[in-house]
Amino acid sequence: IREFLAKAEKLGYEGAWVQEQIISDSLILEPVTLLTYAAALTSKVRLGTSVLLTVIRNPVQLAKSLASLDQLSQGRLTVGVGIGGPHVPEKIFGISSERRARQFVEGLQVMKALWTEPRASFSGEFWHLENVPMEPKPFQKHLPLWFGARESLALKRAVRHGDGWMGAGSSAAVDFIKQVGEILRFLEEANRDPATFAISKRVYLAIDNDRARAERRLREWFGVRYKNADMAARVSIWGSVAECVDKLGELVRAGAKHLLLNPVFDEME
Protein backbone atom coordinates (compact mmCIF):
# COMPACT_ATOMS: atom_id res chain seq x y z
CA ILE A 1 0.00 0.00 0.00
CA ARG A 2 2.83 2.37 0.88
CA GLU A 3 4.58 1.78 -2.47
CA PHE A 4 1.33 1.91 -4.45
CA LEU A 5 0.25 5.26 -2.97
CA ALA A 6 3.69 6.81 -3.49
CA LYS A 7 3.63 5.77 -7.14
CA ALA A 8 0.04 6.93 -7.67
CA GLU A 9 0.81 10.36 -6.24
CA LYS A 10 4.00 10.66 -8.29
CA LEU A 11 2.08 9.79 -11.46
CA GLY A 12 -0.42 12.56 -10.73
CA TYR A 13 -3.56 10.58 -10.01
CA GLU A 14 -6.40 12.72 -8.66
CA GLY A 15 -7.46 10.42 -5.86
CA ALA A 16 -7.23 7.04 -4.14
CA TRP A 17 -10.47 5.22 -3.40
CA VAL A 18 -11.45 2.22 -1.30
CA GLN A 19 -14.49 -0.03 -1.03
CA GLU A 20 -16.37 -1.30 2.01
CA GLN A 21 -17.44 -4.86 2.66
CA ILE A 22 -17.23 -5.72 6.33
CA ILE A 23 -18.53 -9.29 5.99
CA SER A 24 -16.55 -10.93 3.20
CA ASP A 25 -14.17 -13.74 2.36
CA SER A 26 -12.28 -11.31 0.12
CA LEU A 27 -9.26 -9.45 1.51
CA ILE A 28 -10.79 -6.00 2.09
CA LEU A 29 -9.59 -3.72 4.89
CA GLU A 30 -11.96 -1.48 6.84
CA PRO A 31 -12.17 1.71 4.73
CA VAL A 32 -11.93 4.55 7.26
CA THR A 33 -8.93 2.92 8.92
CA LEU A 34 -7.27 2.30 5.56
CA LEU A 35 -7.84 5.87 4.36
CA THR A 36 -6.44 7.25 7.63
CA TYR A 37 -3.27 5.26 6.93
CA ALA A 38 -3.31 6.53 3.34
CA ALA A 39 -3.67 10.12 4.55
CA ALA A 40 -0.41 9.80 6.47
CA LEU A 41 1.40 8.45 3.39
CA THR A 42 0.21 11.11 0.93
CA SER A 43 -0.08 14.87 0.65
CA LYS A 44 -1.94 15.59 -2.61
CA VAL A 45 -4.37 12.86 -3.67
CA ARG A 46 -7.97 13.04 -2.56
CA LEU A 47 -9.21 10.11 -0.51
CA GLY A 48 -12.58 8.52 -1.16
CA THR A 49 -14.93 5.71 -0.17
CA SER A 50 -16.93 3.85 -2.79
CA VAL A 51 -19.09 3.37 -0.84
CA LEU A 52 -19.70 3.34 2.92
CA LEU A 53 -22.86 1.42 3.84
CA THR A 54 -23.94 3.91 6.45
CA VAL A 55 -27.10 2.07 7.59
CA ILE A 56 -24.94 -0.53 9.36
CA ARG A 57 -23.03 2.16 11.28
CA ASN A 58 -23.84 4.53 14.11
CA PRO A 59 -23.97 7.98 12.44
CA VAL A 60 -22.61 9.81 15.50
CA GLN A 61 -19.53 7.61 15.69
CA LEU A 62 -19.10 7.66 11.88
CA ALA A 63 -19.41 11.46 11.78
CA LYS A 64 -16.56 11.68 14.29
CA SER A 65 -14.36 9.21 12.38
CA LEU A 66 -14.87 11.00 9.06
CA ALA A 67 -14.35 14.47 10.53
CA SER A 68 -11.11 13.22 12.10
CA LEU A 69 -9.98 11.72 8.78
CA ASP A 70 -10.75 14.97 6.97
CA GLN A 71 -8.71 16.90 9.55
CA LEU A 72 -5.77 14.49 9.32
CA SER A 73 -5.78 14.67 5.52
CA GLN A 74 -6.18 18.48 5.56
CA GLY A 75 -9.46 18.42 3.64
CA ARG A 76 -8.87 15.70 1.06
CA LEU A 77 -11.84 13.44 1.85
CA THR A 78 -14.81 12.64 -0.39
CA VAL A 79 -17.43 10.49 1.33
CA GLY A 80 -19.15 8.00 -0.94
CA VAL A 81 -22.26 6.50 0.69
CA GLY A 82 -24.78 3.84 -0.24
CA ILE A 83 -27.93 2.28 1.15
CA GLY A 84 -26.85 -1.26 0.39
CA GLY A 85 -29.05 -4.08 -0.85
CA PRO A 86 -30.13 -7.64 -0.11
CA HIS A 87 -26.46 -8.64 0.22
CA VAL A 88 -26.09 -6.47 3.35
CA PRO A 89 -26.90 -8.65 6.40
CA GLU A 90 -28.21 -5.97 8.76
CA LYS A 91 -29.09 -8.51 11.45
CA ILE A 92 -25.40 -9.33 11.94
CA PHE A 93 -24.93 -5.69 12.95
CA GLY A 94 -27.96 -5.70 15.24
CA ILE A 95 -29.93 -3.44 12.91
CA SER A 96 -33.41 -3.93 11.47
CA SER A 97 -33.90 -3.85 7.70
CA GLU A 98 -37.27 -2.15 8.19
CA ARG A 99 -37.55 1.31 6.60
CA ARG A 100 -33.94 1.14 5.44
CA ALA A 101 -34.27 4.24 3.22
CA ARG A 102 -35.54 6.34 6.12
CA GLN A 103 -32.70 5.12 8.35
CA PHE A 104 -30.20 5.92 5.60
CA VAL A 105 -31.40 9.49 5.07
CA GLU A 106 -31.72 10.23 8.79
CA GLY A 107 -28.20 8.96 9.43
CA LEU A 108 -26.83 11.33 6.79
CA GLN A 109 -28.82 14.22 8.24
CA VAL A 110 -27.41 13.47 11.71
CA MET A 111 -23.85 13.50 10.35
CA LYS A 112 -24.39 16.75 8.45
CA ALA A 113 -25.79 18.39 11.59
CA LEU A 114 -22.78 17.28 13.66
CA TRP A 115 -20.39 18.54 10.96
CA THR A 116 -21.97 21.98 10.58
CA GLU A 117 -23.77 23.03 13.77
CA PRO A 118 -21.94 24.22 16.92
CA ARG A 119 -24.40 22.09 18.89
CA ALA A 120 -26.37 19.69 16.74
CA SER A 121 -30.06 19.04 17.18
CA PHE A 122 -32.11 16.55 15.19
CA SER A 123 -35.41 14.78 15.73
CA GLY A 124 -36.42 11.91 13.50
CA GLU A 125 -37.91 8.44 13.53
CA PHE A 126 -34.63 6.70 14.37
CA TRP A 127 -32.33 9.39 15.77
CA HIS A 128 -32.78 12.19 18.30
CA LEU A 129 -30.08 14.71 19.21
CA GLU A 130 -30.36 17.85 21.28
CA ASN A 131 -27.51 20.37 21.59
CA VAL A 132 -24.79 17.79 20.93
CA PRO A 133 -21.29 19.27 20.42
CA MET A 134 -18.71 17.61 18.21
CA GLU A 135 -15.29 19.16 17.62
CA PRO A 136 -13.29 19.50 15.56
CA LYS A 137 -15.52 19.91 12.53
CA PRO A 138 -14.23 18.56 9.21
CA PHE A 139 -11.35 20.54 7.70
CA GLN A 140 -13.55 21.21 4.66
CA LYS A 141 -16.41 23.56 5.36
CA HIS A 142 -18.59 21.25 3.28
CA LEU A 143 -17.66 17.56 3.33
CA PRO A 144 -18.74 16.24 -0.10
CA LEU A 145 -21.17 13.31 -0.18
CA TRP A 146 -21.34 11.19 -3.34
CA PHE A 147 -24.04 8.55 -3.57
CA GLY A 148 -23.82 5.07 -4.99
CA ALA A 149 -27.22 4.30 -6.55
CA ARG A 150 -28.85 2.37 -9.39
CA GLU A 151 -32.65 2.61 -9.23
CA SER A 152 -34.64 5.74 -10.10
CA LEU A 153 -35.77 6.38 -6.53
CA ALA A 154 -32.19 6.08 -5.26
CA LEU A 155 -30.87 8.35 -8.03
CA LYS A 156 -33.46 10.97 -7.09
CA ARG A 157 -32.37 10.63 -3.45
CA ALA A 158 -28.77 11.26 -4.53
CA VAL A 159 -29.78 14.52 -6.21
CA ARG A 160 -31.86 15.57 -3.22
CA HIS A 161 -29.25 14.91 -0.54
CA GLY A 162 -25.86 14.59 -2.23
CA ASP A 163 -23.09 16.40 -4.06
CA GLY A 164 -22.48 13.67 -6.63
CA TRP A 165 -23.30 10.21 -7.88
CA MET A 166 -21.13 7.17 -8.60
CA GLY A 167 -22.04 4.55 -11.17
CA ALA A 168 -21.28 1.09 -9.82
CA GLY A 169 -18.36 -0.92 -11.08
CA SER A 170 -20.70 -3.89 -11.36
CA SER A 171 -22.94 -2.03 -13.86
CA ALA A 172 -22.43 -1.94 -17.61
CA ALA A 173 -21.81 1.15 -19.74
CA VAL A 174 -25.35 0.96 -21.15
CA ASP A 175 -26.75 1.10 -17.59
CA PHE A 176 -24.52 4.07 -16.76
CA ILE A 177 -25.70 6.01 -19.82
CA LYS A 178 -29.35 5.46 -18.85
CA GLN A 179 -28.68 6.45 -15.23
CA VAL A 180 -26.85 9.64 -16.26
CA GLY A 181 -29.95 10.65 -18.21
CA GLU A 182 -32.07 10.18 -15.10
CA ILE A 183 -29.61 12.12 -12.93
CA LEU A 184 -29.67 15.07 -15.36
CA ARG A 185 -33.47 15.04 -15.40
CA PHE A 186 -33.66 15.01 -11.61
CA LEU A 187 -31.12 17.84 -11.40
CA GLU A 188 -33.26 19.92 -13.76
CA GLU A 189 -36.41 19.17 -11.75
CA ALA A 190 -34.61 20.21 -8.55
CA ASN A 191 -33.31 23.37 -10.25
CA ARG A 192 -29.72 22.32 -9.49
CA ASP A 193 -26.77 23.28 -11.68
CA PRO A 194 -25.33 20.07 -13.23
CA ALA A 195 -21.88 21.69 -13.22
CA THR A 196 -21.87 21.55 -9.40
CA PHE A 197 -22.87 17.86 -9.20
CA ALA A 198 -20.19 15.19 -9.62
CA ILE A 199 -20.83 12.21 -11.90
CA SER A 200 -18.41 9.32 -11.48
CA LYS A 201 -18.07 5.73 -12.73
CA ARG A 202 -16.06 2.89 -11.23
CA VAL A 203 -14.44 0.91 -14.05
CA TYR A 204 -12.90 -2.52 -13.67
CA LEU A 205 -9.91 -2.26 -15.97
CA ALA A 206 -7.31 -4.62 -17.44
CA ILE A 207 -4.67 -3.19 -19.77
CA ASP A 208 -3.12 -6.06 -21.72
CA ASN A 209 -2.34 -6.48 -25.41
CA ASP A 210 -3.31 -10.13 -24.95
CA ARG A 211 -7.08 -9.64 -24.73
CA ALA A 212 -7.83 -13.31 -24.10
CA ARG A 213 -5.45 -13.42 -21.15
CA ALA A 214 -6.93 -10.21 -19.71
CA GLU A 215 -10.48 -11.53 -20.01
CA ARG A 216 -9.50 -14.85 -18.42
CA ARG A 217 -7.90 -13.11 -15.44
CA LEU A 218 -10.87 -10.77 -15.05
CA ARG A 219 -13.23 -13.77 -15.04
CA GLU A 220 -11.13 -15.45 -12.36
CA TRP A 221 -11.28 -12.34 -10.15
CA PHE A 222 -15.02 -11.76 -10.64
CA GLY A 223 -15.65 -15.40 -9.80
CA VAL A 224 -13.99 -14.89 -6.42
CA ARG A 225 -15.11 -11.34 -5.60
CA TYR A 226 -18.66 -11.37 -6.96
CA LYS A 227 -19.16 -15.15 -7.27
CA ASN A 228 -20.08 -14.44 -10.90
CA ALA A 229 -17.37 -14.88 -13.53
CA ASP A 230 -19.73 -13.94 -16.37
CA MET A 231 -20.12 -10.43 -14.96
CA ALA A 232 -16.54 -9.63 -16.02
CA ALA A 233 -17.29 -9.41 -19.74
CA ARG A 234 -20.45 -7.38 -19.15
CA VAL A 235 -18.98 -4.60 -17.00
CA SER A 236 -15.19 -4.48 -17.51
CA ILE A 237 -12.91 -2.69 -19.96
CA TRP A 238 -9.85 -4.58 -21.19
CA GLY A 239 -7.36 -4.71 -24.03
CA SER A 240 -4.59 -2.47 -25.32
CA VAL A 241 -3.98 1.04 -24.00
CA ALA A 242 -5.63 2.52 -27.12
CA GLU A 243 -8.67 0.28 -26.79
CA CYS A 244 -9.12 1.05 -23.10
CA VAL A 245 -8.75 4.80 -23.67
CA ASP A 246 -11.37 4.65 -26.43
CA LYS A 247 -13.86 2.82 -24.21
CA LEU A 248 -13.21 5.16 -21.28
CA GLY A 249 -13.86 8.03 -23.67
CA GLU A 250 -17.33 6.65 -24.30
CA LEU A 251 -18.09 6.98 -20.60
CA VAL A 252 -16.78 10.55 -20.56
CA ARG A 253 -18.92 11.45 -23.57
CA ALA A 254 -21.88 9.91 -21.77
CA GLY A 255 -21.38 12.34 -18.87
CA ALA A 256 -18.70 10.96 -16.55
CA LYS A 257 -16.65 13.75 -14.98
CA HIS A 258 -14.63 11.37 -12.82
CA LEU A 259 -13.41 7.84 -13.53
CA LEU A 260 -12.45 5.47 -10.74
CA LEU A 261 -10.06 3.07 -12.45
CA ASN A 262 -10.03 -0.29 -10.68
CA PRO A 263 -7.43 -2.81 -11.82
CA VAL A 264 -7.90 -6.23 -10.22
CA PHE A 265 -4.45 -7.67 -10.91
CA ASP A 266 -0.94 -6.30 -11.60
CA GLU A 267 -1.92 -3.14 -9.68
CA MET A 268 1.62 -1.79 -9.35
CA GLU A 269 2.34 -2.32 -13.04
Side-chain angles (χ1 to χ4, degrees):
I1 293 169
R2 181 185 294 273
E3 293 172 0
F4 182 89
L5 286 167
K7 187 170 184 178
E9 196 156 61
K10 184 178 179 180
L11 288 170
Y13 278 93
E14 185 270 349
W17 292 72
V18 297
Q19 291 180 292
E20 171 165 88
Q21 191 166 350
I22 304 298
I23 307 301
S24 174
D25 55 9
S26 296
L27 302 178
I28 302 176
L29 297 176
E30 193 283 318
V32 180
T33 308
L34 176 53
L35 286 184
T36 304
Y37 179 64
L41 297 174
T42 57
S43 60
K44 298 176 183 177
V45 295
R46 289 197 65 80
L47 305 167
T49 59
S50 176
V51 292
L52 290 174
L53 301 177
T54 54
V55 291
I56 63 173
R57 293 173 175 266
N58 179 299
V60 179
Q61 181 65 48
L62 182 57
K64 182 67 172 183
S65 295
L66 293 174
S68 299
L69 172 53
D70 197 54
Q71 280 287 342
L72 291 169
S73 67
Q74 296 288 280
R76 291 186 280 137
L77 179 62
T78 298
V79 183
V81 297
I83 194 171
H87 66 287
V88 180
E90 285 99 340
K91 289 183 180 179
I92 291 178
F93 299 93
I95 296 166
S96 170
S97 60
E98 298 292 323
R99 293 181 57 75
R100 179 193 282 168
R102 185 67 245 161
Q103 287 188 62
F104 176 60
V105 170
E106 280 196 14
L108 297 179
Q109 291 171 330
V110 165
M111 290 196 294
K112 288 180 179 180
L114 290 166
W115 290 334
T116 58
E117 299 174 15
R119 289 183 173 270
S121 294
F122 178 85
S123 181
E125 181 179 344
F126 296 93
W127 299 98
H128 300 274
L129 306 178
E130 187 172 347
N131 295 323
V132 175
M134 182 175 284
E135 299 293 342
K137 305 301 185 193
F139 186 90
Q140 298 172 91
K141 290 182 179 179
H142 179 87
L143 195 53
L145 286 177
W146 293 10
F147 281 54
R150 298 175 189 260
E151 305 300 328
S152 294
L153 193 60
L155 295 170
K156 194 169 188 176
R157 188 183 301 122
V159 169
R160 185 182 304 120
H161 298 286
D163 306 294
W165 165 72
M166 309 188 76
S170 56
S171 65
V174 64
D175 300 321
F176 176 74
I177 293 168
K178 175 178 176 292
Q179 291 159 352
V180 169
E182 291 189 85
I183 286 285
L184 294 176
R185 176 164 57 85
F186 293 141
L187 286 168
E188 183 177 6
E189 291 174 358
N191 198 29
R192 292 192 61 178
D193 181 1
T196 64
F197 190 86
I199 295 179
S200 176
K201 175 73 171 80
R202 174 187 289 278
V203 182
Y204 288 114
L205 184 74
I207 299 174
D208 192 335
N209 289 328
D210 187 335
R211 297 191 79 256
R213 177 175 60 191
E215 182 178 6
R216 182 177 69 252
R217 296 181 76 183
L218 283 166
R219 287 181 58 83
E220 290 172 358
W221 185 86
F222 273 83
V224 173
R225 177 71 172 84
Y226 286 100
K227 316 303 185 206
N228 184 352
D230 293 338
M231 184 189 294
R234 185 172 62 85
V235 305
S236 305
I237 289 176
W238 72 95
S240 67
V241 169
E243 186 174 2
C244 290
V245 168
D246 182 60
K247 290 180 178 178
L248 291 171
E250 292 178 7
L251 297 174
V252 173
R253 290 188 289 274
K257 305 173 186 177
H258 177 273
L259 294 172
L260 202 169
L261 306 178
N262 196 151
V264 299
F265 53 82
D266 295 344
E267 288 90 348
M268 284 298 293
E269 182 182 340

